Amino acid sequence: MMKCRSGFTWYAAALAIVALALSAPREAEAKGGTHATAVSTWDTSASSVVAAFQNGFMTPDGGHLRIASYHVNFSSTSGKLSSQFGLQYLNYAETSDTDSSNGIGGTVLAQWAIPMTDRFENGLPKASFNIFFGAAPAALINGQYNFVTIPLVLGIGIPLSPVKYISIVPWVEFAPSLNLDTRVKPFEGALTGYTVDPENPEQVNLSQDDVEKILTDSVEMELSFAAKLRGGLTFVVHMGDRADLQIIGAVTRVGSGDNNKAAIFVGGGLAFAWDRPVPAVLPVERRLENESCEAIGARYDVCYGPPKPEETPAPDPTAVETGAQSPEPAQPEPTPPPASAPSPAP
């Protein structure tokens, strides 16, 4: 017999497993489709931060999937490529009668925008074709269902801007995912090595063999695969060159097998650009308006090189070819000798 011989960790794990196993809880199932929306902004012309919230309504049995997110996005100097990094808080309940689980998620994404028309004077294309790919892992924890989902996301979006203040973006993503599920099933065996403290009947002392038996018989790790489609429509109001208001709607399916349920997402977000649109997307007359003279000079030096010091001009090749000679300097005339004095008369 032993009383927590293997330390607090074994004892806490045993109590948790016994409480779940003997009460015959519902088996867990990894839920494909519980990851956050991958794209935070469709504007690739400026680096930005985005804060957003979405509430997903599960049908037909109620339940929810709530997502609060924060993203940091970096745009390339071409204004066509955006790298997006996000952190999310997830709150999920399969039905309206079940306890919700809490978790965290992350997104890493690359988005490439291909303009299909000309741009407005602020650099926004009137229509573009955007391709994105990345990953959006998430982990959710609850006493009844604990799982990790690792989806790879691949999709397209088509931002359409009839005026420079409004964009409408239909989009779709495909997300195959690898899911790691922790299943806790009822313990049906018999415990033979435990004792009850007579002074405290609520305290049960387990032998190490009983702890190992409970863990082996009641806990299973299961790996599964799921593939989900998610589509939506994002409405964006451009409030100048630095801020955007987003209204987001999307539909997807969550779960697998008999527990595969539809989810409808409604939410919104605010995007703030922490730098101006890159010069490459602006009209020619606006590309230098935010540049200093020093920056323009440095750019000129990169393209054409620094100015060279003055050099002695090369001789005229025409003179060499015709054999013309430079005139010789005039020689001074010789000075005549002084006249001799006459001899005296005898």
Side-chain angles (χ1 to χ4, degrees):
M1 294 291 177
M2 61 171 289
K3 185 176 181 179
C4 295
R5 289 182 181 175
S6 54
F8 177 77
T9 302
W10 276 103
Y11 188 69
L15 290 181
I17 297 301
V18 168
L20 291 172
L22 297 183
S23 61
R26 171 176 50 86
E27 288 188 350
E29 282 193 14
K31 305 296 181 183
T34 52
H35 63 279
T37 302
V39 177
S40 61
T41 179
W42 299 96
D43 185 4
T44 61
S45 64
S47 301
S48 62
V49 295
V50 180
F53 176 80
Q54 296 182 50
N55 189 15
F57 302 92
M58 313 292 291
T59 59
D61 300 327
H64 63 262
L65 175 58
R66 298 174 181 140
I67 306 170
S69 61
Y70 177 79
H71 288 78
V72 179
N73 312 310
F74 301 91
S75 292
S76 66
T77 55
S78 67
K80 297 180 180 180
L81 181 64
S82 173
S83 300
Q84 304 185 3
F85 305 90
L87 182 65
Q88 298 88 29
Y89 164 75
L90 309 174
N91 183 272
Y92 171 72
E94 184 177 7
T95 67
S96 57
D97 298 328
T98 58
D99 295 334
S100 61
S101 59
N102 300 293
I104 59 173
T107 53
V108 179
L109 183 79
Q111 181 180 187
W112 184 30
I114 306 172
M116 297 187 294
T117 62
D118 58 345
R119 298 176 182 266
F120 292 103
E121 64 272 15
N122 61 355
L124 180 70
K126 297 178 181 178
S128 70
F129 182 81
N130 292 23
I131 303 172
F132 62 89
F133 61 91
L140 287 160
I141 299 174
N142 185 293
Q144 295 180 337
Y145 42 88
N146 310 313
F147 62 89
V148 175
T149 179
I150 306 176
L152 300 177
V153 294
L154 174 65
I156 60 172
I158 304 177
L160 304 172
S161 302
V163 295
K164 68 178 182 179
Y165 303 107
I166 295 176
S167 293
I168 302 171
V169 189
W171 55 270
V172 64
E173 73 171 36
F174 174 64
S177 62
L178 190 65
N179 309 300
L180 178 62
D181 189 5
T182 302
R183 293 175 177 266
V184 180
K185 62 182 182 180
F187 178 70
E188 298 178 352
L191 300 178
T192 58
Y194 70 92
T195 60
V196 178
D197 191 342
E199 298 180 359
N200 185 9
E202 296 181 356
Q203 181 174 345
V204 178
N205 302 320
L206 301 175
S207 67
Q208 184 170 346
D209 291 340
D210 284 339
V211 171
E212 293 178 354
K213 184 176 182 181
I214 293 173
L215 293 175
T216 301
D217 294 350
S218 300
V219 179
E220 294 181 354
M221 303 296 291
E222 183 174 313
L223 204 61
S224 62
F225 176 82
K228 299 295 179 182
L229 279 175
R230 180 178 299 187
L233 187 69
T234 301
F235 184 81
V236 185
V237 179
H238 303 287
M239 300 181 293
D241 293 342
R242 294 296 187 107
D244 293 339
L245 173 65
Q246 303 175 351
I247 301 174
I248 307 167
V251 293
T252 188
R253 299 195 71 85
V254 176
S256 59
D258 296 336
N259 292 322
N260 192 6
K261 298 181 179 180
I264 301 173
F265 290 90
V266 178
L270 284 173
F272 297 93
W274 46 270
D275 67 354
R276 295 183 180 275
V278 296
V281 304
L282 297 176
V284 175
E285 62 272 13
R286 289 195 58 192
R287 291 182 183 178
L288 299 180
E289 64 182 15
N290 298 315
E291 297 280 356
S292 64
C293 294
E294 292 78 5
I296 296 173
R299 186 178 302 173
Y300 181 89
D301 291 346
V302 170
C303 296
Y304 300 102
K308 298 181 180 180
E310 294 184 1
E311 298 178 354
T312 303
D316 186 359
T318 306
V320 175
E321 293 177 359
T322 58
Q325 300 293 331
S326 299
E328 295 182 0
Q331 298 294 331
E333 295 182 0
T335 304
S340 59
S343 303

